[in-house]
Structure formats: structure tokens, C-alpha cells
Amino acid sequence: DVKVTQSSRYLVKRTGEKVFLECVQDMDHENMFWYRQDPGLGLRLIYFSYDVKMKEKGDIPEGYSVSREKKERFSLILESASTNQTSMYLCASSFKGDQPQHFGDGTRLSIL
Amino acid sequence: EDQVTQSPEALRLQEGESSSLNCSYTVSGLRGLFWYRQDPGKGPEFLFTLYSAGEEKEKERLKATLTKKESFLHITAPKPEDSATYLCAVRGGYNKLIFGAGTRLAVHP
């Protein structure tokens, strides 16, 4: 079974802090993704990566950055956290091509 | 613009009462339609991929079908453990998934 592990289930941070969300997958997937999920808005893509050290902007990249130094690990960084970044963050991975994405259980992030 | 619309937003069924969830989509060049199940506090769990009109996939009480404009997730004789949010997504340009807002299904004994 595919395993996508997100480092924290719940996280509380203060405005202005730099926040790191970590994601690790154990299936040697080439592709990795970060989404946020908000009520009524569904899942929205923040950033994705097709290979190590490679990144592409998704639909809502403002206020975020990412890092992929190793194939199995994809980090999401909130440069200076703001209250409108309070959300559920979901990491996913997949093989390249038209393969389904597999998700972790999410990090519920609250910015106070 | 690529778009996915799911209906209804919420559905309440009695145990054993079959029904269907709808996913309407507009996308330039469909490269897969995906169904996921999401339980509260969990990430989406992959159910099915459909690639071409007329294709059908089944898993236990669930059956997904695809036409050129929409997909249906049919639930036959549901049980309370089928209660979840069901998400539909299409793969459009640049290999990105576009998700619908989901249908919250509640099955009562």
C-alpha cells in the first residue's frame, strides 16, 4: 500500500512565523503535490514537483514556497504565516503519467 | 476554463436505499476522471479512475460510470459505513487535478 506521511496532524502557529510542513512518501513516486482544503472551496493546488529540486506553481502559490531535496520528501513553507492561511493542508504523490494521486491524512494548521 | 461540479452537495439515505452522485465536468482533453472517498479528519482515499466515455468500474457497493460530460457514482444498498464525502476530480492540462467541492453522504440505519 502507498504510504504518504505528513509530519504533524495538528499545528498551531502565530502570525509572522515561518512554518514548515513536511511530507514523505515511500513508493518512489516522481510527482508530489501540496493542496489546501477549505469548506466550500474544495482542494486547491499550491505547488507541485515532478522531480528532485524541481517545482511548479499551482493555482494559489502566493505566500508559500516548497523544497524537494530528496525524491521521497516534499516540504511546504509558509514564509510569514497569516491568519488566512489557517486551513487543512494535504500532501499527495503519484507516479508520472496519468496515474492517480495518493494522499496523506493532512495537517490542520491554525494561525493565531 | 477547466471546471468540475458535483451534486448534490449533501445526500441523506436510509440503509439499503440506492442512489447516485453526479460529477459534471468541462475540460479540454480529458486525461482521466478520478473518484475519491474522504472520511472526517482524513485525506482522500483513491477509489476509481475512468479514462473514456462508456467505461465503468466497480468496487463492492460502488460503481462509477463516465460519459463525455459527466460521471456518476452509483451506490447500491448502502450501509452506514459508506458515509463519507465523495470527491470527483479531472486531470486537465499540465497534469493537474481539478477537484469538485464534493458530496457529503450520510447513510442512516
Side-chain angles (χ1 to χ4, degrees):
Chain A
D1 270 0
V2 176
K3 187 74 173 176
V4 179
T5 302
Q6 295 185 232
S7 54
S8 306
R9 293 299 307 276
Y10 302 94
L11 208 53
V12 180
K13 296 291 183 181
R14 299 222 172 257
T15 55
E17 281 193 68
K18 191 168 186 176
V19 180
F20 294 85
L21 303 183
E22 306 286 343
C23 175
V24 176
Q25 49 93 5
D26 66 355
M27 284 301 293
D28 203 33
H29 285 165
E30 292 87 3
N31 303 333
M32 296 190 75
F33 307 83
W34 275 107
Y35 295 86
R36 63 177 283 175
Q37 185 175 30
D38 300 288
L41 296 177
L43 276 80
R44 292 179 292 167
L45 182 64
I46 304 171
Y47 266 98
F48 59 104
S49 168
Y50 289 143
D51 202 349
V52 175
K53 296 191 185 296
M54 176 272 176
K55 61 185 178 184
E56 291 286 345
K57 292 181 180 179
D59 298 316
I60 51 165
E62 297 77 18
Y64 303 94
S65 63
V66 289
S67 172
R68 194 166 180 201
E69 296 295 318
K70 294 185 178 181
K71 189 175 185 179
E72 68 271 17
R73 187 179 297 270
F74 193 34
S75 303
L76 179 69
I77 303 155
L78 284 66
E79 297 291 343
S80 177
S82 64
T83 55
N84 63 11
Q85 292 178 310
T86 291
S87 186
M88 168 74 98
Y89 288 87
L90 290 162
C91 174
S93 69
S94 74
F95 288 115
K96 60 184 174 183
D98 296 337
Q99 299 302 307
Q101 295 178 18
H102 297 271
F103 286 81
D105 277 340
T107 295
R108 187 164 293 282
L109 175 64
S110 296
I111 307 296
L112 305 178
Chain B
E1 182 185 346
D2 298 340
Q3 195 169 359
V4 177
T5 303
Q6 291 187 246
S7 62
E9 285 186 20
L11 182 62
R12 179 188 168 117
L13 298 174
Q14 290 298 121
E15 185 172 3
E17 179 187 3
S18 301
S19 188
S20 297
L21 313 183
N22 178 262
C23 172
S24 299
Y25 64 90
T26 54
V27 63
S28 51
L30 181 68
R31 291 168 51 204
L33 184 141
F34 303 84
W35 282 99
Y36 288 85
R37 169 193 171 126
Q38 186 174 24
D39 293 300
K42 297 271 194 175
E45 174 189 350
F46 170 69
L47 293 173
F48 304 111
T49 308
L50 301 166
Y51 288 105
S52 55
E55 190 175 358
E56 298 182 351
K57 293 272 180 76
E58 282 189 72
K59 180 179 180 179
E60 296 180 0
R61 294 176 292 282
L62 300 178
K63 179 180 176 180
T65 61
L66 181 65
T67 73
K68 288 186 177 180
K69 293 184 178 180
E70 57 192 350
S71 176
F72 293 93
L73 185 66
H74 307 279
I75 304 176
T76 302
K79 298 182 177 181
E81 53 261 43
D82 295 322
S83 298
T85 296
Y86 290 86
L87 301 172
C88 170
V90 296
R91 192 191 303 281
Y94 301 104
N95 207 30
K96 293 194 294 185
L97 286 185
I98 300 100
F99 281 85
T103 294
R104 292 191 313 278
L105 174 66
V107 181
H108 295 269

